[in-house]
Amino acid sequence: MSRDSVQAVVDRFADELGRSVVVNDPEVRMLFASRHFGDEDPVRIRAMLNRDAGSEAIGFLLSSGIGQWTRPGRVPGSEALGLHARAGVPIRWRGEVLGMILVIDADGSVTDADLDRIGEVAAEIAPLMVADRAPQDSAHSEALVAGVLGPDEGPREAALAELHAAPGEVRVVTVTFGPGTDPDLTAIALRHALVAARSRSRGDALHTVAGAVGQIVYLATAARGLDVVVAEARAMVRDAADVAGRGAAVTAGVGAQAPGLGEAWVSARQAGLAATIARRLGADPVVAWERAGVLGVLARIPSAELDVTAVPHELCRLAEVDRSGRLLETLRAFLDHAGSGPAAAEALFIHRTTLYYRLDRIRDAIGVDLDDGDVRLRLHLGLRVADLMRAEGRDPFPTLNAR
């Protein structure tokens, strides 16, 4: 009955104004819409057909700050997005935002009196939307997924006993926001990415917004190839970034395949670490655990601990004498190829004689035995630490560059 009541209010108000009216949820997904009055734009048409205005349009609307408005206001249009200007206000009930009402203002003729009426109608709709709330089955299911993926065995076993999911191999994707993003906008962006992912999953995935605001977990419960899941992770990152704004730091990690839901927490832990690698390096917003290599170990080290004291002193000395960076490049290739001279020379496009000459120069410059496995491990890890420091804007060799 309340849904019919909300729709009746929307239709009556649209007829009163002679304008298209829509009521969206807090994530700007269409809930109720009036008929058209010849003022529709491509964004409204897309929302009517798909119940989704598109990530970029949602991001544009939210960037106006409408979610935090306490009184009706105006949102400018965007020709690039095919979006007419709108007037609107959040719909609140006892301080909680239930959604927002938007009125198309294609010709900019909405008056201050119209804005006041928009506020009055929002207040009229709010109690009707509260009465129409669906049961919390979805929220309970998400809580169970969060429990299954948690670190504590007791709650994990309890959630497993209650959660009914198809057996088989699983893989976890974790999407995170970097620090500094508005928490309310982060929550909306992640929820939008979650809903979009759910619609693509064909029912063979579980989802949850887990832990603190800023993390979404997507659990693919069907056996899918790694490339397919990475592609889904990229889609979720794009969806979340479109809503939050292009400057938002959104990354995703893909955990290794687990044999069943009972072991999915391991994949979730790996996915979280992989997302940390993506955030620290910044080269690719999506990192798969199986392709992370030694960075999967280094990601466990707090960023603040990776300072110049984490770089082996031998590398600092080498950087001091190697102004061109050629010797460091040679050392990296040699270590990356497990000490194989032919493979390193091929990777560097140089003759083996040239490679061995450079390796001798490295040995003489820093006094190390490159045949020693411990030495190789220390130098190799040191080079990766230096990479992480550079990616975070810190200089691994500050003494050299201060001169």
Side-chain angles (χ1 to χ4, degrees), residues 102-302:
L102 292 169
V103 175
I104 291 185
D105 186 20
D107 57 2
S109 62
V110 165
T111 66
D112 290 343
D114 292 335
L115 290 177
D116 291 339
R117 280 292 292 140
I118 292 172
E120 292 170 0
V121 172
E124 182 181 353
I125 289 174
L128 301 176
M129 291 184 67
V130 169
D132 186 52
R133 280 185 163 174
Q136 298 300 309
D137 291 345
S138 177
H140 181 60
S141 175
E142 289 190 13
L144 291 177
V145 174
V148 165
L149 301 179
D152 299 326
E153 184 175 359
R156 196 164 62 232
E157 293 297 327
L160 277 170
E162 189 175 348
L163 185 65
H164 302 291
E169 297 168 332
V170 297
R171 193 185 289 275
V172 174
V173 175
T174 295
V175 181
T176 62
F177 271 83
T181 308
D182 177 80
D184 292 333
L185 190 56
T186 294
I188 291 172
L190 289 174
R191 180 60 60 181
H192 172 75
L194 172 67
V195 171
R198 180 182 290 134
S199 69
R200 292 188 295 263
S201 71
R202 303 183 304 278
D204 61 1
L206 299 170
H207 315 78
T208 182
V209 174
V213 171
Q215 181 181 17
I216 180 176
V217 173
Y218 171 93
L219 177 61
T221 57
R224 295 180 177 183
L226 177 58
D227 289 340
V228 173
V229 180
V230 167
E232 178 56 50
R234 293 193 188 283
M236 285 192 282
V237 166
R238 285 194 301 272
D239 287 340
D242 283 344
V243 171
R246 291 298 183 182
V250 190
T251 59
V254 180
Q257 193 163 272
L261 199 58
E263 297 79 22
W265 68 273
V266 177
S267 183
R269 174 70 171 134
Q270 294 166 340
L273 289 168
T276 297
I277 295 168
R279 186 180 71 252
R280 286 186 174 183
L281 289 180
D284 191 332
V286 178
V287 170
W289 177 259
E290 288 120 309
R291 298 168 181 168
V294 71
L295 293 174
V297 176
L298 297 180
R300 300 169 186 271
I301 303 174

Side-chain angles (χ1 to χ4, degrees), residues 298-309:
L298 297 180
R300 300 169 186 271
I301 303 174
S303 179
E305 296 295 325
L306 295 179
D307 57 22
V308 291
T309 63

